[in-house]
Amino acid sequence: MANYFVGDIQGCFDELKLVLDKVAFNPSIDCLWTVGDLVARGSGSLQTLQYLKALSGSAKIVLGNHDLHLLAVHGKLKRANPKDQLDELLHSEEIGTLIDWLRLQPLYQEHTEQNIIMTHAGVPPNWDLHTLKEQANHVSDALQHDDYLTNLIAKMYTNSIDCWNDKLSDLDKKIYTINALTRMRYIYADERLDFDCKLPIEQCNNPQLSPWFAHKAKLRPSHTLVFGHWAAIMGQVSSPKLQALDTGCCWGEHLTLWHAESDQKITQNRLKKS
C-alpha cells in the first residue's frame, strides 16, 4: 500500500489524473490524500469532486478555503468569481449530492502509523494534537447541521478573529479554526494571523511577520505536517517535518504528489489549454 499526498488541485483534473498515472495509482491498495482546495481556477472542478467522491475510502480529504467558499456560493451567500470556472459544477445534476459529500469532509487528517498530520494551510504553532482535533471536529460538526449556512458559513468571512484564546465564544473558536487551518500563511510574533501578505518568504519586507512554520511548534518534531495553500513558496520549506505541496498548478506551474513511504515527489506540469 502506498500513501500519496497531493497539493492543491483547484479543478486541474487532467493534471491530477496524469500525475496519478505516473505512479500507477491503484485505489484498491493505495490511498490518495488531498490537502484541500479541490475546486476553482481550473476547468475540472466537477470532475475532480466526482472522482474523489468515487474513491470513497481510498481518498483522505481536508477542506480548503476554496471548498468552503463553494458551500457559500452554492448556498447563495456569495457570488461565484468567473475566474473560478464553477458554472459546470454549479449547474450539474449532482451538485446537491456533491455539496452534501463535501460537508462531510474534515479540516484535518491523521496518518497515525507515520505520525503525519494534514491540513490545508497548516497548524497554529501553539496548538497541540488534542486542540487541533477538538477544534477541527467542532467545525465539522457544525458543517453537518442543517443550519450550517446561517450559523457558520455566513459568519466565517471575517479577519477580526486572528488570535487563539480559550475564552473565545464557541462561534469565534470555529471562525478562528477556519481562519487558521484554511487561510494561514504569515503570523506575528504573538501568533496573531496575518491575512494580507501572500508573498514568497524572501520578498516579505515586514519584519513583524514570519511564516507560521518558522515558529516553535507543539506538533513538531513528533509529527510531519503536510499542507498546501501557499503556492508562492513553491514547496520550499526548511524542515523534513514539513511538506508544502501547493506548487501553483492552477497558476501555470505544476501539481505535486508526495509519496510518503519513499519520501519522493512526483510532478505534473500544467497542461496548455487550446
Side-chain angles (χ1 to χ4, degrees):
M1 176 181 176
N3 290 281
Y4 297 104
F5 292 74
V6 68
D8 300 35
I9 302 167
Q10 291 213 337
C12 296
F13 179 67
D14 292 338
E15 290 82 355
L16 173 65
K17 290 304 300 289
L18 286 171
V19 79
L20 292 178
D21 287 345
K22 288 182 178 182
V23 298
F25 175 72
N26 183 347
S28 66
I29 56 174
D30 301 329
C31 187
L32 178 63
W33 302 65
T34 70
V35 300
D37 275 5
L38 312 176
V39 302
R41 303 300 180 183
S43 61
S45 290
L46 172 60
Q47 293 79 12
T48 298
L49 295 188
Q50 289 172 327
Y51 176 73
L52 294 174
K53 181 175 180 291
L55 286 179
S56 187
S58 298
K60 302 290 185 182
I61 293 159
V62 297
L63 297 176
N65 52 299
H66 279 282
D67 308 314
L68 292 171
H69 185 63
L70 173 63
L71 300 181
V73 171
H74 177 257
K76 311 298 183 185
L77 298 174
K78 296 286 183 176
R79 291 184 179 181
N81 185 336
K83 294 180 180 179
D84 286 344
Q85 303 189 65
L86 293 175
D87 283 353
E88 183 184 20
L89 172 59
L90 291 170
H91 293 98
S92 167
E93 293 181 355
E94 298 179 55
I95 183 61
T97 300
L98 291 171
I99 289 293
D100 287 343
W101 170 79
L102 203 61
R103 288 168 51 203
L104 295 175
Q105 307 313 311
L107 292 184
Y108 81 96
Q109 292 277 5
E110 180 182 13
H111 192 302
T112 54
E113 292 81 6
Q114 298 191 42
N115 286 336
I116 297 173
I117 296 292
M118 178 178 71
T119 63
H120 179 59
V123 179
N126 58 352
W127 275 16
D128 56 20
L129 187 57
H130 171 76
T131 304
L132 169 64
K133 290 182 175 182
E134 182 177 58
Q135 300 308 319
N137 287 339
H138 286 331
V139 174
S140 295
D141 290 344
L143 286 174
Q144 293 168 37
H145 286 175
D146 291 341
D147 59 3
Y148 76 100
L149 285 171
T150 55
N151 282 355
L152 182 62
I153 298 299
K155 297 177 180 178
M156 72 179 183
Y157 289 92
T158 175
N159 293 341
S160 63
I161 313 301
D162 62 356
C163 190
W164 176 249
N165 188 321
D166 283 329
K167 296 181 180 179
L168 291 172
S169 69
D170 288 344
L171 175 60
D172 285 353
K173 285 181 178 179
K174 293 184 183 75
I175 294 173
Y176 174 83
T177 299
I178 289 172
N179 282 341
L181 299 187
T182 73
R183 299 178 63 199
M184 179 171 62
R185 292 185 181 94
Y186 288 102
I187 60 177
Y188 291 89
D190 61 2
E191 298 182 343
R192 286 181 297 117
L193 305 176
D194 170 74
F195 298 107
D196 297 322
C197 187
K198 302 178 181 180
L199 294 171
I201 297 166
E202 65 275 10
Q203 295 181 23
C204 178
N205 57 10
N206 186 341
Q208 299 181 51
L209 297 179
S210 56
W212 65 266
F213 49 78
H215 291 238
K216 185 177 180 180
K218 291 185 176 181
L219 275 176
R220 301 199 318 271
S222 62
H223 289 77
T224 297
L225 303 184
V226 178
F227 63 99
H229 184 58
W230 199 349
I233 64 173
M234 289 299 291
Q236 299 303 306
V237 288
S238 59
S239 168
K241 290 293 185 179
L242 296 166
Q243 293 292 338
L245 298 183
D246 184 4
T247 47
C249 185
C250 71
W251 305 113
E253 295 294 339
H254 56 269
L255 191 64
T256 295
L257 194 71
W258 176 54
H259 180 213
E261 285 74 20
S262 66
D263 193 24
Q264 292 183 328
K265 288 181 178 175
I266 304 93
T267 63
Q268 171 59 50
N269 290 337
R270 178 71 187 270
L271 298 174
K272 293 182 179 179
K273 304 300 182 181
S274 58

